Every structure is written in structure tokens, then in C-alpha cells.
Amino acid sequence: MSIRIAAVIPLYNGAPFIEAALHSVLGQTRPADEVIVVNDGSTDEGPAIVEEVARHHPVRLLHKPNGGQSSARNLAIRSTTCSHIALLDQDDIWYEDHLAALHQPFVDAEIRRLGLVYGNLDQIDRNGRLITEHCLDQVPTPHPKRSLMQCLQHDMFILPGASLVDRQAMLDAGLFDERLSGYEDDDLFVRLYSMGVKSCYLDKSVTMWRIYPESTSFSARMGRSRMIYFHKLIEAHPDEPRLGLFWGRDVIAPRFTSILRSEFLQASKAADFARALRAWDDLKAVAPHMKKSVQMRIRLVGPLIEATLAGPLTSVARRLLRHALR
């Protein structure tokens, strides 16, 4: 099978990291056939750094107004004629055999309708220090996914930066949802699974995943995106009582309740009351899809949680929340 790979990097104010990311792409043992960086309205010197690298290496820099990484990725995917897309976030780093490892299952062609190959990853901090090896060994979801239930009941933990995806499959699925700046990868990969696109998982770290306090994972924008995705999942997966499938009550709502509960507790302990209040408001939006007993407890203790959240009795708010969601 003939494979041509486009490496795609969205760039938004990524000056501290973009050069290292680019050099990890350019240093591959199996080179990318095209390297595309999309400047998503940066206001720092990141684009100038890319232009300097492009003076010596074949790097294409596209420019667009700020619209989020989904729109940046989509622009690059539409602009290339390569058969496969290798995604990389501006602050992550590929190991040198990243593309060599991920493209091999496509070449072997042993899996029918293969459209996604992804690997494990190692976590690094802002300064590039290794924190955790084989991060996906520690998550509560199997790899690869073998059912829609596995796709929906937890975060997918398929990192775009550790993935190689068939471009036509991405186009057929509708590309990334440009409303989302967070969970856009889960959203796309669930749609690919539902279309019958098969995946292959390599239990090998192919990417260094950089996590630090300023990461988008911790932003308010991520919180807004999470709730857009929640409502999208609820709409796309209605209950099927005759089959005993209650997607909202038994799968989707428990997943997001667990995430928001953790966010509420962490934020209140850190006295980040604005973040805690956002989590509480989001929990109330999820509540109508929970079990009736949980809905009732939330209605009963809600006023007390709100009254005690932003004061010296915030520990009471945490205990009340635990009671409501038990």
C-alpha cells in the first residue's frame, strides 16, 4: 500500500515549544512527505520561528484568523493531497521512530478497513523532564476500542499526537468539529468507530506528551467544549429501552459526572471558586440525564452547596456534593 503522510501542527502562541516540535518531525527515521504548520492567529513570535526553520527545511506555513485547533487542523487536512495525517500539538514531541512505527500496520494491511493507528505516550513537564512512561497503561479504558460502550463510558485516551489517520476516513467523518477546543479528538474518533473504521493500538510510546498548568486541558475553554461535547453525545445516542440501552443515564452522564465531580473538588480545595462554580453549573446541566435518585438529591442539596461554596464552609460543599452523587 502506497502511503504519503502529512504532518500537521496547529500553532497558537506556541513560541516556547514549536521549534522542538518541528525538529522532532523533521528528524523522523521515516520522513513525513509534507509538513504543514497552521498559524491560528498567533500574537507571539511562533510564526517567525517556523519561517526561520522553513528557510532550511521543507515546511509549509499557512495563516488563518484564530478559530481554535480544530479549524487549524481542518485547514491543513483539506489543503494536502497526502493519504494519511499525522497530528502533533505545538508543545508535544515525537520520538524519532514515531512515523515508522505508526505507518507499518497500514503497509501490512492485515486489518480490514484500518483507518487509525495510535500508540502509547510518555508524559513530560514544561521543561521536557520525563514524568511518566507509558501513560495509557494507567487509564481505565482498553486499547483498541472494541465497542461503542468503550468509546463512550470514559475519555478515549487516543491522543492526536500519537496517531496516524487515513485522510479519506477523516473527510468522510466530517473532520474535527470546529466548535470544540477540547474533546474534538474524542468526538472524531467516536464518529470513525461508528462508521466501521478499524483501529490498531501499538503498546509503545511514540510521543512525548507535555502537561503543565497552562495547558489547554485546564482552561475554561476546555470546560465549555466539554459541555458542547456532552450535549452532542446525548443527542447522537438516544436511549433504546427495548434493547435495554440507556446511553444517557448509564453511560454518558456518569462519565461526565465523574469528571465534573473531580473538577469541583479540586477547585474548591484550591479556593478557585470561579472554576468550582463552573463545574457545579455544568453538573446541574448533566443532572437531568442522571438517575432519578441522584437528580432528587441534587435538587435538595443544591442551595446548600451554593451557599457554602465560596466561604469558610467550602468543605461542607464538598461533603454535600459527595452525598448528592453517591
Side-chain angles (χ1 to χ4, degrees):
M1 178 181 181
S2 177
I3 290 177
R4 296 185 69 250
I5 299 174
V8 170
I9 308 175
L11 174 65
Y12 177 70
N13 291 350
F17 308 113
I18 187 60
E19 187 170 7
L22 260 178
H23 282 298
S24 79
V25 171
L26 296 169
Q28 291 294 297
T29 58
R30 190 286 188 199
D33 298 281
E34 186 174 19
V35 180
I36 306 172
V37 178
V38 181
N39 171 29
D40 187 38
S42 295
T43 58
D44 68 0
E45 63 271 26
I49 294 172
V50 176
E51 288 172 349
E52 179 60 27
V53 173
R55 290 178 56 199
H56 308 283
H57 301 278
V59 176
R60 184 153 65 108
L61 177 61
L62 306 179
H63 299 274
K64 61 180 289 296
N66 180 250
Q69 62 185 7
S70 292
S71 63
R73 288 169 176 163
N74 288 348
L75 175 63
I77 293 165
R78 292 189 181 104
S79 74
T80 186
T81 58
C82 288
S83 62
H84 289 71
I85 304 297
L87 300 161
L88 180 62
D89 289 347
Q90 64 188 19
D91 46 5
D92 295 339
I93 297 172
W94 286 348
Y95 284 116
E96 63 276 4
D97 59 347
H98 177 101
L99 292 181
L102 293 179
H103 101 290
Q104 193 60 47
F106 286 106
V107 174
D108 296 340
E110 295 178 354
I111 301 176
R112 180 172 51 88
R113 296 195 66 189
L114 180 64
L116 166 66
V117 178
Y118 67 104
N120 212 321
L121 57 151
D122 295 338
Q123 180 185 342
I124 59 176
D125 68 8
R126 183 185 181 92
N127 298 316
R129 294 176 298 191
L130 181 65
I131 302 299
T132 305
E133 297 179 74
H134 292 83
C135 294
L136 299 190
D137 294 354
Q138 304 176 23
V139 301
T141 184
H143 297 285
K145 313 303 178 189
R146 299 301 187 196
S147 70
L148 183 59
M149 182 78 72
Q150 291 176 349
C151 293
L152 296 180
Q153 67 187 164
H154 298 288
D155 288 358
M156 294 277 279
F157 289 102
I158 301 175
L159 273 294
S163 306
L164 181 62
V165 195
D166 183 279
R167 176 177 178 267
Q168 189 57 54
M170 299 176 85
L171 292 169
D172 292 344
L175 297 179
F176 290 100
D177 186 333
E178 297 188 6
R179 298 174 300 166
L180 302 177
S181 293
Y183 290 91
E184 74 284 345
D185 44 358
D186 274 29
D187 174 61
L188 176 61
F189 295 143
V190 168
R191 283 184 276 128
L192 288 172
Y193 182 89
S194 297
M195 289 167 48
V197 174
K198 298 299 189 294
S199 63
C200 174
Y201 172 61
L202 305 181
D203 190 13
K204 167 182 179 168
S205 292
V206 296
T207 303
M208 285 178 269
W209 181 35
R210 196 186 307 267
I211 297 293
Y212 53 99
E214 296 82 21
S215 298
T216 55
S217 303
F218 302 104
S219 68
R221 193 172 188 178
M222 168 68 86
R224 291 191 295 271
S225 188
R226 178 194 297 128
M227 294 309 295
I228 293 172
Y229 183 47
F230 167 76
H231 290 295
K232 185 174 183 178
L233 287 180
I234 290 292
E235 182 178 349
H237 301 90
D239 292 341
E240 301 176 77
R242 290 187 177 184
L243 299 178
L245 293 173
F246 296 87
W247 295 108
R249 183 194 70 191
D250 297 340
V251 181
I252 300 170
R255 167 187 175 181
F256 286 83
T257 297
S258 177
I259 294 168
L260 292 167
R261 174 184 180 273
S262 295
E263 184 153 328
F264 178 94
L265 296 176
Q266 292 170 9
S268 66
K269 288 177 181 177
D272 187 345
F273 300 123
R275 180 180 165 208
L277 187 57
R278 285 197 302 269
W280 170 243
D281 287 341
D282 290 345
L283 275 166
K284 289 189 292 184
V286 173
H289 304 279
M290 299 177 188
K291 294 179 180 179
K292 296 296 184 184
S293 58
V294 178
Q295 293 182 41
M296 183 176 298
R297 288 196 295 271
I298 286 178
R299 284 196 299 269
L300 287 173
V301 304
L304 291 173
I305 289 176
E306 292 171 1
T308 57
L309 176 59
L313 299 178
T314 184
S315 61
V316 174
R318 292 195 292 272
R319 288 197 293 271
L320 288 168
L321 184 72
R322 291 189 182 100
H323 167 76
L325 299 180
R326 75 176 190 275

